[in-house]
Amino acid sequence: MSDKRGQTMTKDKGGLFAGGFDPIGLLLEGRAFFGLIAIIAVFSYLSPNYFTFNNLLTMTSHVAIFGLLGMGMLLVILTGGIDLSVGSTLGLCGVMAGFFIHGVDIGGVTLYPAIWVVVVLVCAVGALVGLINGVLVAYFRVPSFVATLGSLYAVRGVALLMTGGLTYNNLGGKASLGNTGLDWLGFNTILQVPVGILIMIAVAIVLIVVLNRTAFGRWLYATGGNARAARLSGVPTNRVTVLVFVMSGICAAIAGLVLTSELTSAGPTAGTTYELTAIATVVIGGAALAGGVGNIRGTLLGAFVIGFLSDGLVIVGVSNYWQMVFTGVVIVFAVLLNSIEYKARRKPRTSASADGGGTPAAAASQHNPVNPASSLGTSTGES
């Protein structure tokens, strides 16, 4: 009887220690976290100014931009796509904010929208860019890489045409016109925490709830795990694809507003190459570029790794060229660890396939063990 109870207790164990203590598995699972700890330890040793409260807040403010872009990128990557237009969308949304604050001429009358109206309009611009991307990918079957690459150039071109290559300055607004307050995003604090960081946390909480507590989150994982199986199980995959691109565009717009506020200016070239940084945060966070695997927590850790590493290299005086080298090495190392982890996951899945599972739901379950299609709970269909 004691043997049976011991077997039961062993069977009930879960998580990392289900098969005994596995240091390699532990390192793989927590690689972004351990990487961040290592970065903080190394740069704290090299510079006494690195691990201070004020410097950590400053670096986290920089991370907020990457984190917002990365979270939007994660949603797209979870469906198996990619969004190369987020950097250009960020730049265009900053320019649009400057354009609205400087006044809009309509029929010879110049209108100065209030800041909350500017925020809504800028987020609508980001959503529009995402909507175009999503429709191209979901309904016209344009590969997401090609569709968003075209958007990258088109959106950047629109920003350059609007400004003639110049930069909007003096974005403080005027109290007499009722359009002040944009600097609140970039310079104000609540309980000594910069507003940009709080915005990143708020967006993260919303997306965590969406991914883990809603049917849309299960649809999203199922679409990335096995789109065909998900569609046959009743998941509206086209609608999911459009929505994730819209959400990615809104995240880029919010990041553009925060960056514009911090810089107190809006230039058409802002956010150049930020799309690659966003992809890097997602990859370092452990998400699979093939789709179906990843989470917000890992992406935020990836953003902290990129941001704290870049700022640490600047603080210790490393040249910009070497910063690029170090960042590239970290990304390649992260992809290598992802490959090792996914290879380990595929082994038990292969043995499971020998036991059957010919239904679409079972196929999706095998492709994405974290969010099996059998638990989708869907009631709508889309052909």
Side-chain angles (χ1 to χ4, degrees), residues 2-91:
S2 61
D3 291 343
K4 288 183 178 180
R5 189 168 62 179
Q7 291 172 0
T8 304
M9 292 176 64
T10 303
K11 187 178 181 180
D12 288 341
K13 285 183 178 180
L16 295 173
F17 305 106
F21 180 68
D22 182 6
I24 296 178
L26 180 64
L27 286 173
L28 285 175
E29 288 282 345
R31 56 189 177 277
F33 175 76
F34 293 124
L36 179 61
I37 296 298
I39 288 170
I40 292 175
V42 169
F43 286 110
S44 297
Y45 174 76
L46 295 176
S47 171
N49 298 321
Y50 185 81
F51 195 66
T52 61
F53 181 73
N54 289 333
N55 190 51
L56 288 177
L57 284 182
T58 302
M59 292 192 297
T60 307
S61 295
H62 300 161
V63 168
I65 305 297
F66 301 144
L68 287 166
L69 288 177
M71 286 187 283
M73 181 69 74
L74 171 69
L75 299 178
V76 177
I77 286 178
L78 284 176
T79 64
I82 200 163
D83 188 352
L84 297 178
S85 66
V86 293
S88 298
T89 304
L90 180 150

Side-chain angles (χ1 to χ4, degrees), residues 87-362:
S88 298
T89 304
L90 180 150
L92 175 64
C93 289
V95 166
M96 292 299 295
F99 173 74
F100 289 130
I101 290 174
H102 280 214
V104 182
D105 286 324
I106 299 178
V109 178
T110 304
L111 300 178
Y112 296 92
I115 285 300
W116 71 268
V117 177
V118 172
V119 171
V120 171
L121 291 173
V122 168
C123 288
V125 170
L128 177 62
V129 175
L131 177 64
I132 295 172
N133 287 334
V135 169
L136 287 173
V137 173
Y139 292 99
F140 291 92
R141 304 303 177 193
V142 179
S144 60
F145 180 88
V146 177
T148 58
L149 181 63
S151 297
L152 182 155
Y153 287 108
V155 170
R156 185 74 69 191
V158 171
L160 288 167
L161 285 171
M162 285 183 62
T163 63
L166 303 177
T167 300
Y168 282 113
N169 295 309
N170 302 320
L171 301 182
K174 295 181 180 178
S176 59
L177 300 174
N179 64 345
T180 59
L182 183 66
D183 55 347
W184 182 80
L185 289 174
F187 293 99
N188 278 30
T189 62
I190 297 177
L191 299 176
Q192 295 188 320
V193 179
V195 173
I197 298 174
L198 297 176
I199 292 174
M200 178 186 70
I201 294 172
V203 172
I205 292 173
V206 170
L207 292 181
I208 287 172
V209 172
V210 168
L211 288 178
N212 297 305
R213 300 296 182 199
T214 67
F216 177 77
R218 294 192 291 274
W219 294 350
L220 198 158
Y221 278 106
T223 301
N226 189 324
R228 181 173 178 273
R231 190 163 47 249
L232 293 174
S233 299
V235 174
T237 54
N238 287 345
R239 201 186 316 161
V240 169
T241 301
V242 173
L243 281 176
V244 294
F245 275 102
V246 170
M247 294 167 73
S248 176
I250 293 175
C251 286
I254 296 173
L257 284 168
V258 175
L259 181 63
T260 300
S261 179
E262 290 179 349
L263 298 177
T264 65
S265 64
T269 57
T272 302
T273 72
Y274 275 25
E275 58 276 353
L276 303 180
T277 306
I279 295 171
T281 63
V282 175
V283 171
I284 292 173
L289 289 175
V293 178
N295 56 54
I296 296 296
R297 179 192 59 202
T299 299
L300 287 181
L301 280 172
F304 273 94
V305 168
I306 290 286
F308 278 28
L309 174 64
S310 300
D311 285 352
L313 291 171
V314 172
I315 289 173
V316 299
V318 176
S319 72
N320 186 47
Y321 305 132
W322 277 108
Q323 291 177 35
M324 296 171 66
V325 172
F326 281 120
T327 305
V329 169
V330 168
I331 293 172
V332 171
F333 189 61
V335 172
L336 179 63
L337 292 178
N338 285 358
S339 176
I340 294 172
E341 182 183 7
Y342 300 148
K343 189 178 293 183
R345 286 185 184 183
R346 278 195 292 270
K347 288 181 179 177
R349 196 177 305 158
T350 303
S351 60
S353 64
D355 298 332
T359 64

